């Protein structure tokens, strides 16, 4: 079983729509959680960390459910510039490496 | 701030040739990583270095070697390139994987084609 699993999509949504991505992880002893954004042919960049209590950054809301071992990302009022691949990332307590999901592709359509 | 710098950005190799991908970070990070990214596979860890002087294998280490030259630099070497090593390679660094909420910072990537 993969450490981190994501629905690859693609998600094609109109501007202004709300879209949600989910991600599941297999290692219950995971410490830190992140959402990264990767634009075509570019390096991944941190979008936001995911905290146990959930957190919001503008139009983006991240949530963590440790009991069910999943992470979610909600994007409200989608913009054309949100088109990218979103990577779910998990860091175990005892591991020395980050585990990446394969990414979920989002295209926001005018 | 430069962050994580990788060279070269593009490279074409013939099968059997060797090359070294260079990576340097200026954030005083302890941990450094080499990933490869292939379509549909996501980022897969090749090797990592938790601290200066240590290196460990990741998920896909075969055909690669690494050197943690000092705290700043972590190089990846392909001794005898194969077409299966055609990929995009990313170097990354982080403060320390034992720290809560430490994030990974990535270089711009190296697009390698082996013909």
């Amino acid at each position: 079983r993969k450490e981190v699993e994501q629905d690859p999509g693609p998600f094609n949504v109109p501007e202004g729509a709300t879209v949600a991505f989910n991600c599941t992880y297999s290692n219950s002893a995971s410490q830190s959680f992140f959402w990264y954004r990767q634009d075509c042919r570019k390096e991944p960049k941190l979008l936001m960390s995911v905290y146990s209590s959930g957190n919001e950054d503008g139009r983006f809301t991240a949530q963590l459910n440790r009991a069910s071992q999943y992470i979610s990302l909600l994007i409200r009022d989608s913009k054309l510039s949100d088109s990218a691949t979103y990577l779910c990332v998990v860091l175990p307590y005892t591991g020395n490496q980050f585990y990446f999901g394969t990414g979920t592709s989002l295209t926001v359509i005018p | 701030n430069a962050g994580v710098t990788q060279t070269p950005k593009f490279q074409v190799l013939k099968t059997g040739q060797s090359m070294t991908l260079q990576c340097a970070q200026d954030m005083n990070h302890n941990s450094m990583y080499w990933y490869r990214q292939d379509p549909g596979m996501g980022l897969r860890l090749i090797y990592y270095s938790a601290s200066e002087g240590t290196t460990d294998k990741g998920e896909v280490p075969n055909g690669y070697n690494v050197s943690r030259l000092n705290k700043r630099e972590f190089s990846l070497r392909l001794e005898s390139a194969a077409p299966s090593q055609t990929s995009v390679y990313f170097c990354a660094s982080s403060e320390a994987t034992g720290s809560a909420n430490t994030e990974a910072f990535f270089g711009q990537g190296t697009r390698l084609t082996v013909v």
Side-chain angles (χ1 to χ4, degrees):
Chain A
R1 184 183 172 186
K2 289 184 180 177
E3 293 281 342
V4 180
E5 300 208 50
Q6 289 182 253
D7 180 348
F11 285 70
N12 299 314
V13 303
E15 267 186 295
T18 295
V19 62
F21 306 138
N22 290 323
C23 163
T24 58
Y25 61 95
S26 61
N27 186 347
S28 60
S30 290
Q31 169 179 309
S32 302
F33 308 88
F34 311 88
W35 282 102
Y36 274 69
R37 170 191 170 128
Q38 186 173 25
D39 293 294
C40 188
R41 304 177 75 81
K42 299 277 192 177
E43 75 273 23
K45 292 185 179 178
L46 181 69
L47 177 67
M48 58 196 303
S49 299
V50 186
Y51 302 120
S52 296
S53 55
N55 48 299
E56 190 174 301
D57 183 1
R59 298 181 292 108
F60 299 85
T61 300
Q63 292 196 314
L64 167 64
N65 185 319
R66 284 189 184 271
S68 301
Q69 295 181 209
Y70 81 77
I71 308 150
S72 65
L73 176 68
L74 184 76
I75 305 175
R76 292 181 300 278
D77 188 23
S78 298
K79 311 290 185 193
L80 296 176
S81 57
D82 293 335
S83 297
T85 297
Y86 291 83
L87 304 170
C88 175
V89 185
V90 172
L91 176 63
Y93 281 109
T94 55
N96 286 314
Q97 59 175 290
F98 295 85
Y99 290 94
F100 288 80
T102 53
T104 299
S105 174
L106 171 66
T107 300
V108 180
I109 304 162
Chain B
N1 287 341
V4 181
T5 304
Q6 277 182 247
T7 55
K9 287 190 171 50
F10 302 93
Q11 183 72 49
V12 178
L13 288 178
K14 292 182 179 178
T15 298
Q17 285 185 315
S18 61
M19 78 162 294
T20 300
L21 281 64
Q22 307 287 352
C23 176
Q25 52 90 9
D26 62 2
M27 295 173 282
N28 202 35
H29 285 165
N30 288 307
S31 300
M32 296 186 73
Y33 316 85
W34 276 105
Y35 289 91
R36 60 178 289 174
Q37 187 173 36
D38 303 291
M41 302 290 287
L43 283 152
R44 292 183 293 168
L45 184 67
I46 304 170
Y47 271 93
Y48 67 95
S49 171
S51 61
E52 186 179 353
T54 68
T55 61
D56 285 285
K57 295 178 180 179
E59 183 185 352
V60 288
N62 291 343
Y64 306 95
N65 285 302
V66 290
S67 295
R68 183 74 183 265
L69 303 170
N70 47 55
K71 192 171 186 179
R72 289 188 66 248
E73 298 172 289
F74 188 39
S75 63
L76 178 72
R77 183 161 178 83
L78 286 71
E79 290 292 351
S80 178
S84 60
Q85 293 178 304
T86 294
S87 188
V88 180
Y89 291 85
F90 287 104
C91 177
S93 71
S94 68
E95 201 168 280
T97 50
S99 303
N101 290 320
T102 183
E103 66 176 279
F105 294 82
F106 284 84
Q108 292 182 308
T110 297
R111 298 186 179 279
L112 175 67
T113 302
V114 183
V115 298

